[in-house]
């Protein structure tokens, strides 16, 4: 069963990274067409321009971190797996505050904030869909948290 957990977590992570990256690249292109410069000025550093490579890299790194959490949660059962999906959505929503409060132009901040939410939503959707692959063998196992171990 452990190999099923590993394969399912890996597949979910790959699909979430592809979905989040793809959707966020679309946001990047649309926002640029609408005038967002993606020029960010972090405190203590000069202005930095964000681009497609940055979008994909951040999506992949965030999903890789989530995949580690997901794999550990899967060992505790399907409920923990689903909770990890919802937690990713919550993190994506909460992290919207970072670009909204960063010193950047309003269109850039809005686009970046939407990218955070999109990444969280992509993670949540993919994880919840793949939770079905870890169906417990019985209702008792799901309540006991051992359905996926």
């Amino acid at each position: 069963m452990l190999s099923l957990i590993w394969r399912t977590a890996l597949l979910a992570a790959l699909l979430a990274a592809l979905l989040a990256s793809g959707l966020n690249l679309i946001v990047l292109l649309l926002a640029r067409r609408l005038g967002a410069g993606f020029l960010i000025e972090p405190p203590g550093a000069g202005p930095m321009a964000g681009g497609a490579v940055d979008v994909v890299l951040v999506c992949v790194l965030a999903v890789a971190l989530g995949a580690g959490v997901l794999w550990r949660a899967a060992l505790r059962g399907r409920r923990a797996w689903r909770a990890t999906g919802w937690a990713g959505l919550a993190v994506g929503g909460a992290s919207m505050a970072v670009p909204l409060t960063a010193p950047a132009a309003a269109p850039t901040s809005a686009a970046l904030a939407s990218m955070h939410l999109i990444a969280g939503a992509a993670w949540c959707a993919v994880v919840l869909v793949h939770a079905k692959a870890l169906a417990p063998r019985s209702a008792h196992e799901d309540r006991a948290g051992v359905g996926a171990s």
Side-chain angles (χ1 to χ4, degrees):
M1 188 67 158
L2 187 58
S3 64
L4 173 64
I5 293 169
W6 174 247
R7 283 184 305 201
T8 305
L10 183 60
L11 178 62
L14 289 172
L15 290 175
L18 286 172
L19 182 60
S21 295
L23 292 173
N24 282 336
L25 285 172
I26 291 170
V27 170
L28 176 72
L29 292 174
L30 289 174
R32 283 216 167 128
R33 292 226 184 247
L34 294 172
F38 286 91
L39 192 62
I40 305 158
E41 298 179 39
M48 300 183 326
V53 172
D54 300 311
V55 168
V56 173
L57 183 62
V58 169
C59 286
V60 169
L61 290 174
V63 168
L65 177 64
V69 173
L70 181 64
W71 182 74
R72 295 294 297 164
L75 296 174
R76 300 181 71 77
R78 196 167 125 194
R79 272 194 227 167
W81 178 286
R82 286 191 310 255
T84 303
W86 290 111
L89 178 59
V91 168
S95 68
M96 289 174 66
V98 174
L100 290 175
T101 59
T108 297
S109 293
L112 289 172
S114 69
M115 288 179 181
H116 283 241
L117 187 59
I118 287 169
W123 171 261
C124 184
V126 170
V127 168
L128 293 180
V129 166
H130 282 84
K132 294 176 183 162
L134 299 175
R137 287 171 279 187
S138 72
H140 170 70
E141 287 178 343
D142 192 34
R143 282 193 301 276
V146 295
S149 57

